[in-house]
Amino acid sequence: MLIQQKQGNLNSFDSGNRRIDRLPLEWYEASKRILHKRTESGKEVIMKFLGESQNLTQDDVLYYDENLVIAIDIMPCDAIIIRPKNMFEMASVCYEIGNKHLPLFFNEDEVLVVFEQPLFRLLSASGYEIDRGSRKLVNPLKTTVAAHGNNAGGETLFSKIMKLTGSSE
């Protein structure tokens, strides 16, 4: 079966009495443009998204007919779980991890990043409240801030973030 675009999400899709067949994806596969996978029932699915990636997420519907719905299931992975105490700490930890060009995710009051032992040690030594656990990485933390660079005003990306948090540290 060839899929070229998503059809919606189970949160807003009336699946009726259709059987839901899950297509398991790893977190990093959710942004792929071309992917060849099998659903839990063994149905072959080939995704070829023309143009930009579809940025698939939990419960996205790829296909449906009168009997069946094929929906995405993002698999849990080993993650570093960070629980910032305040907005300053949130900005600081996001800046530190973002500076390493690692994808960040969020879930309620948690900041999540794929587990890496050196990063775990660094965050722990820096005094952040962290744990290691299994999480679904489904809500990417996106930025609208411009990338690093030299600017005439002398203001850094970090100083801009700190201004947003109301901290002068």
Side-chain angles (χ1 to χ4, degrees), residues 25-42:
L25 291 182
E26 299 292 337
W27 69 271
Y28 57 86
E29 293 175 315
S31 62
K32 300 279 185 187
R33 288 182 54 231
I34 299 173
L35 207 54
H36 191 135
K37 302 290 284 184
R38 288 193 181 275
T39 65
E40 289 177 340
S41 72

Side-chain angles (χ1 to χ4, degrees), residues 127-143:
Y128 295 110
E129 183 182 327
I130 62 170
D131 285 311
R132 180 178 182 174
S134 182
R135 293 288 192 275
K136 288 187 177 199
L137 303 181
V138 296
N139 299 313
L141 189 60
K142 296 179 183 170
T143 180

Side-chain angles (χ1 to χ4, degrees), residues 79-167:
I80 298 173
I81 304 158
I82 309 150
R83 293 179 189 89
K85 296 177 186 111
N86 53 46
M87 285 304 292
F88 176 76
E89 192 169 292
M90 170 73 86
S92 297
V93 77
C94 288
Y95 179 81
E96 288 300 324
I97 295 169
N99 222 15
K100 294 171 182 11
H101 301 278
L102 298 172
L104 281 165
F105 297 83
F106 66 94
N107 182 31
E108 296 176 15
D109 62 341
E110 298 175 338
V111 175
L112 307 168
V113 65
V114 175
F115 183 83
E116 290 183 357
Q117 188 66 43
L119 180 60
F120 188 84
R121 284 190 204 121
L122 173 71
L123 293 173
S124 182
S126 298
Y128 295 110
E129 183 182 327
I130 62 170
D131 285 311
R132 180 178 182 174
S134 182
R135 293 288 192 275
K136 288 187 177 199
L137 303 181
V138 296
N139 299 313
L141 189 60
K142 296 179 183 170
T143 180
T144 57
V145 180
H148 299 288
N150 295 331
N151 59 36
E155 198 171 35
T156 67
L157 177 60
F158 187 71
S159 66
K160 290 177 186 177
I161 292 171
M162 292 302 104
K163 277 185 184 178
L164 290 173
T165 66
S167 177

